Amino acid sequence: MKTAIRTLFNFIHGNPEGKAEAVDTFLNKSEEFRLLLSANGKALELMAEMTEAAQTGLPSGITRVRAYSVMVASSVRQMIERLCLMAPGKYDGLRDVFNDIVLAMDQAFSGPPAPVRGPVVLALRQVRAKDMPETGSKVALLGEIRSELGLEVPRGFAITASAFRLFLESNGLDDEIGRLTQIHDGNSLTELTELGRTIRHAVDMAPMPTELEEAIEAQCERLGDIRFAVRSSALGEDSEQAGFAGQFQSVLGVRGSQILDAYRTVVASMYSATALTYVRNRGLREDEMVMAAGCMEMIDAVAGGVIYTRPPMGHSDGSLIVTAVPGLPCAVVDGSSLVDSWTVNRETGRVLDRDVAEKEIRFVLASTGKVRKEKLYGGRQLAPAISDGDAERLAAMALRIERYFGRPQDIEWAKARDGRIVILQCRPLTICDPVQPAPPVDEESRGMALCQAASRPAPVRPRAMWSRWRPRRTCSASRTARSCWPAPPGPSFRPCCPAPPPWWPSSAAPWAIWPTLPGNTPSRP
């Protein structure tokens, strides 16, 4: 290649063969320019991939963004160096500007500074809302209502955020998790599942720091021979920005000697495929996820449930809702059983309405301390889980919590065998906007919509798009996803797009217009 360029140069400039210096300079600049173009092409290719990922909504973790940014920066640095070699002294100022940009990127990727090391465990009786950076909101809010409102909460202790950081740093898990995240691209469910499995295996194999083991043993001795529920209380969990409802694992019926293994399980659940997807879809940083845990006494409950101090679906009618099931409240939380519900007037505190469901199962605390599922038969299926008096007592407690925190609450509770009401969790309640009813469609407007649709060009692959279309919204107030939109008539279509395209006539339903689109038969997709 250089020989051909040399010959061309001599022919154009009439250079005799003896003037090799000018030829070499030209060849060197040509080579540097070629490398500059190559680096520029690589940088543009990487930026195009990042732009495509952002525009298509593909979830991207901070590790992936950092990796792409480093590769782009490397290509840009090569471009600057090539320019400086082509014209010595002319573009040297670009180096300083580029270094400042890279330094700013490093600061952005490094996140907030590491907090000051705190205690590895805290007794629940010591915890207040101010301890949220150490214990997470789930444990901190329980400690707050216990100390300030005098409400009963389970005995127990918190394994803090400082303990989590100590666990990762003492075993090099923080660096190992970062390395694994870079190796696994994580663009598909299969890759995320494999990443989660690998990280969980690393967590399971890592030894616990001696300091943490001794602190947990001391707390277990203080509390005596009881069974624990080891529950996640991650920093940011149950917040307005990210609820993480159902993403992390809790372990029930745990002996004191088993808490370390249960804690490993809770920590490992932070790296499941669903949790990682949730983090990336929310635009959060996986390297800033910190898991605290609450180790609380299991309540041998005869009934339990959830209270919503405002109707979660947005219809504010001056009432609150109490739900209950017989046995442990986990049947409400995981949706495995129908629930009884009471509507209570917020002003008078009296029951306005009661709906008793036909319940088939209940969960109980066995004598071994494990949670056991039991079948319900006969009259027990239709027996209300609690009395109206209990519902009114729960409503009064819930309103006290709401007034104290100044916003609607989602409260989990349990009724012990001796009649005590124990608050297991309270968190802010996110309320969905009320669904506006669709305007009626008369025959004339429907006919106009059909004519308009028939006159428009056919969309790209309409069958694939509309066969998956249904507008839905997810209500984060409930423990499980609830649709806030009515389903269309006929066969069920899986949701894909949040709304029809702009050219679609708003006065007609998609399943009504579908047969009129060019190339489609009258049958539904």
Side-chain angles (χ1 to χ4, degrees):
M1 183 66 179
K2 282 190 176 183
T3 303
I5 294 177
R6 183 190 301 272
T7 304
L8 179 62
F9 181 86
N10 292 334
F11 176 79
I12 294 174
H13 294 278
N15 245 17
E17 290 294 336
K19 294 186 179 179
E21 184 177 350
V23 176
D24 290 339
T25 301
F26 175 76
L27 291 176
N28 291 335
K29 286 188 177 182
S30 299
E31 179 66 11
E32 298 298 343
F33 186 62
R34 185 187 67 81
L35 295 174
L36 184 150
L37 292 178
S38 176
N40 179 67
K42 181 63 175 176
L44 291 176
E45 180 183 344
L46 292 168
M47 288 188 283
E49 291 179 10
M50 295 174 70
T51 302
E52 182 182 4
Q55 291 177 345
T56 56
L58 292 175
S60 296
I62 190 65
T63 304
R64 178 177 172 83
V65 174
R66 183 191 290 115
Y68 266 84
S69 300
V70 169
M71 289 188 289
V72 170
S74 176
S75 296
V76 173
R77 184 183 294 278
Q78 292 180 39
M79 294 169 60
I80 293 174
E81 294 303 322
R82 301 305 171 190
L83 277 173
C84 292
L85 289 172
M86 290 171 63
K90 189 174 181 178
Y91 299 105
D92 290 350
L94 289 177
R95 289 192 177 104
D96 295 334
V97 175
F98 176 77
N99 290 334
D100 290 341
I101 294 173
V102 171
L103 180 61
M105 290 170 57
D106 290 341
Q107 291 175 347
F109 284 127
S110 63
V116 178
R117 167 81 179 277
V120 292
V121 299
L122 281 173
L124 193 56
R125 65 188 180 191
Q126 301 174 296
V127 174
R128 302 292 183 270
K130 63 180 177 58
D131 298 309
M132 201 173 295
E134 279 289 354
T135 65
S137 64
K138 187 177 293 184
V139 175
L141 295 182
L142 283 179
E144 185 73 5
I145 64 173
R146 175 189 176 278
S147 63
E148 300 299 324
L149 300 181
L151 297 177
E152 185 162 354
V153 301
R155 297 185 300 158
F157 60 94
I159 303 176
T160 65
S162 292
F164 173 80
R165 297 186 185 98
L166 175 64
F167 174 50
L168 263 59
E169 292 169 4
S170 63
N171 295 289
L173 279 176
D174 47 353
D175 294 333
E176 177 68 6
I177 290 171
R179 186 186 67 82
L180 291 171
T181 308
Q182 288 183 350
I183 293 174
H184 295 78
D185 197 20
N187 279 338
S188 67
L189 180 59
T190 302
E191 291 173 345
L192 282 175
T193 302
E194 177 62 20
L195 172 61
R197 186 195 64 79
T198 306
I199 294 178
R200 290 195 301 274
H201 178 73
V203 171
D204 289 340
M205 295 295 102
M208 280 289 167
T210 304
E211 178 184 352
L212 180 56
E213 284 189 7
E214 293 175 350
I216 290 175
E217 289 174 3
Q219 291 293 328
C220 292
E221 290 178 5
R222 177 180 67 85
L223 294 168
D225 186 18
I226 62 174
R227 293 283 180 159
F228 292 90
V230 181
R231 309 184 69 175
S232 67
S233 186
L235 304 193
E237 187 178 357
D238 295 337
S239 66
E240 295 183 18
Q241 292 76 22
F244 287 98
Q247 302 297 322
F248 304 138
Q249 191 168 345
S250 295
V251 186
L252 306 179
V254 179
R255 293 183 181 275
S257 59
Q258 301 169 328
I259 284 184
L260 290 176
D261 290 334
Y263 174 64
R264 277 195 182 88
T265 301
V266 172
V267 170
S269 70
M270 192 169 60
Y271 303 103
S272 67
T274 54
L276 289 172
T277 302
Y278 185 91
V279 167
R280 295 182 176 190
N281 285 336
R282 282 282 192 270
L284 305 176
R285 299 173 58 118
E286 61 262 56
D287 59 347
E288 291 183 8
M289 295 169 61
V290 177
M291 178 62 76
C295 303
M296 294 173 280
E297 180 183 10
M298 285 282 295
I299 305 299
D300 188 10
V302 296
V306 175
I307 309 169
Y308 302 113
T309 62
R310 299 277 181 177
M313 306 310 291
H315 303 284
S316 181
D317 55 0
S319 65
L320 61 79
I321 299 171
V322 178
T323 64
V325 292
L328 299 174
C330 52
V332 179
V333 176
D334 63 17
S336 59
S337 172
L338 298 176
V339 301
D340 301 336
S341 64
W342 285 259
T343 303
V344 182
N345 187 295
R346 291 172 56 88
E347 297 295 330
T348 65
R350 299 298 181 186
V351 172
L352 298 174
D353 188 28
R354 180 197 315 109
D355 181 15
V356 178
E358 184 176 357
K359 303 165 289 292
E360 297 182 352
I361 61 169
R362 69 173 181 176
F363 291 93
V364 297
L365 189 63
S367 58
T368 59
K370 293 296 183 182
V371 175
R372 186 179 73 241
K373 181 168 69 174
E374 290 184 348
K375 186 79 173 174
L376 297 177
Y377 298 98
R380 299 169 68 188
Q381 292 182 317
L382 292 173
I386 57 174
S387 65
D388 288 359
D390 286 333
E392 292 173 355
R393 183 157 60 120
L394 286 163
M397 291 182 181
L399 289 174
R400 288 182 62 197
I401 296 174
E402 181 189 77
R403 283 193 294 269
Y404 181 77
F405 290 116
R407 63 167 301 166
Q409 296 289 306
D410 170 356
I411 302 166
E412 185 180 344
W413 59 273
K415 181 182 177 183
R417 293 193 178 276
D418 57 6
R420 294 177 296 121
I421 299 294
V422 183
I423 303 299
L424 304 179
Q425 179 180 347
C426 63
R427 61 181 180 178
L429 172 65
T430 302
I431 300 176
C432 290
D433 296 329
V435 177
Q436 300 298 327
V441 180
D442 55 31
E443 288 300 318
E444 181 179 357
S445 59
R446 180 177 181 274
M448 288 295 295
L450 292 173
C451 293
Q452 292 172 2
S455 64
R456 296 182 185 273
V460 178
R461 300 184 64 186
R463 181 175 298 274
M465 177 171 65
W466 287 115
S467 65
R468 297 182 295 169
W469 184 86
R470 180 194 288 171
R472 289 173 71 92
R473 290 186 301 179
T474 299
C475 174
S476 60
S478 62
R479 302 285 174 159
T480 57
R482 301 179 182 178
S483 171
C484 296
W485 293 85
S492 176
F493 304 146
R494 292 186 62 80
C496 175
C497 305
W503 52 262
W504 196 263
S506 59
S507 58
W511 49 87
I513 299 176
W514 170 260
T516 69
L517 292 176
N520 291 298
T521 61
S523 61
R524 283 198 180 100

